[in-house]
Amino acid sequence: MQQREEKQLEAAVESLTSRVAHVKNSLQSFIYKLENEYERLTWPSVLDNFALLSGQLNTINKLLKNDKTPSFRNQVVIPLLLNPDRDEDLAKLTEQRVPVFSHEIVPDHLRTKPDPDVEEQEKHLSTEAVRIGPDAAQKQIQTLNKLCSSLLEKLNNPREDRESENAALRQNKPSFNPADTTALVAAVAFGKNLSKCRPPGPVAPGHPGQGPMMTGGPTLQQVTIGGGSGHQGGQGAQQTGQPGKMPSNIKTNIKSASASMHPYNR
């Protein structure tokens, strides 16, 4: 009886090892395609690889749930020898993943329970789940179902619909700041928040508010022209105070001065 159970266990382990090797080969092939053939890889091919992996995992689950398969939970694995040095046979058997079978590695590879931190998190989540009332839990379930339905709807929609929605969102998104636009218009139209300092350098004549021409004082203080009489100079001084217009007597004095300075009149 015991020998029969041992044979069944060996056969189950061999079958399980073979199935796991098939899954490993499929994963290696799929990873190689993703890393080296991603430019030629199509979405139907990716789905085919996922379907292959899913089918192989389902086969392993059926094998474990089979009545003829002995329960692996009743089997205990005990390390008989721990060695801190490198074991070449172990490294070759595990494809260089486990080169040493020491005290540090054994708890991770032969662990039958989660880590203490994971167990503590699971207890915390279980306690929070018990505290949530039925109404709150139902609301959370409805919210989650709504999010999942919306996500499935977006995934099932054609790519063109998603691209059109994204384009509409980009068009409706404002590309300016209304506050900055208002401040800029106020500064240009009304000079709001602008500095009142006058820039250095010569001021061009004729601009409003710049130079001594529009300060409200007389535009011509005194006109002295060589060759003219003092009486005409006094009249020129009396007809000042009108900005932008030259008095007639000043025009006459300028003409007479130009004539007297001509080389043929000397």
Side-chain angles (χ1 to χ4, degrees), residues 72-79 105-116 118-119 122:
F72 291 99
R73 293 182 179 179
N74 299 330
Q75 307 299 324
V76 179
V77 180
I78 300 175
I105 295 178
V106 167
D108 294 332
H109 288 273
L110 301 183
R111 185 185 298 277
T112 57
K113 291 184 178 181
D115 293 336
V118 177
E119 289 184 348
E122 288 183 352

Side-chain angles (χ1 to χ4, degrees), residues 44-229:
S45 177
V46 174
L47 294 179
D48 292 340
N49 284 273
F50 276 118
L52 177 61
L53 292 171
S54 178
Q56 291 175 346
L57 292 176
N58 289 330
T59 303
I60 292 177
N61 288 331
K62 290 180 180 179
L63 178 63
L64 294 175
K65 294 179 180 179
N66 192 358
D67 296 336
K68 296 181 180 181
T69 302
S71 178
F72 291 99
R73 293 182 179 179
N74 299 330
Q75 307 299 324
V76 179
V77 180
I78 300 175
L80 299 178
L81 178 63
L82 300 178
N83 188 3
D85 299 331
R86 180 181 176 86
D87 190 348
E88 296 296 338
D89 295 335
L90 180 62
K92 184 178 179 180
L93 184 64
T94 59
E95 298 180 355
Q96 306 298 325
R97 288 191 295 270
V98 185
V100 178
F101 201 65
S102 61
H103 295 78
E104 297 180 357
I105 295 178
V106 167
D108 294 332
H109 288 273
L110 301 183
R111 185 185 298 277
T112 57
K113 291 184 178 181
D115 293 336
D117 296 339
V118 177
E119 289 184 348
E120 188 67 24
Q121 291 179 2
E122 288 183 352
K123 291 180 181 179
H124 181 67
L125 293 175
S126 300
T127 304
E128 289 185 353
V130 172
R131 292 178 181 177
I132 297 176
D135 297 337
Q138 190 65 25
K139 290 181 180 179
Q140 293 182 3
I141 292 173
Q142 292 177 357
T143 304
L144 180 60
N145 291 335
K146 186 177 180 180
L147 292 175
C148 293
S149 300
S150 177
L151 181 60
L152 289 174
E153 184 179 357
K154 290 181 179 180
L155 292 176
N156 292 328
N157 287 337
R159 182 180 297 178
E160 292 78 7
D161 296 344
R162 294 198 297 270
E163 291 179 354
S164 61
E165 291 179 0
N166 294 333
L169 290 176
R170 286 195 297 268
Q171 291 178 359
N172 295 332
K173 185 178 180 180
S175 58
F176 64 94
N177 190 348
D180 294 343
T181 303
T182 304
L184 181 60
V185 172
V188 173
F190 308 107
K192 185 177 180 180
N193 297 328
L194 294 181
S195 176
K196 296 181 180 180
C197 298
R198 182 174 298 174
V203 179
H207 288 266
Q210 297 181 356
M213 296 296 293
M214 299 297 290
T215 56
T219 56
L220 296 175
Q221 298 294 334
Q222 187 176 1
V223 177
T224 304
I225 298 175
S229 62

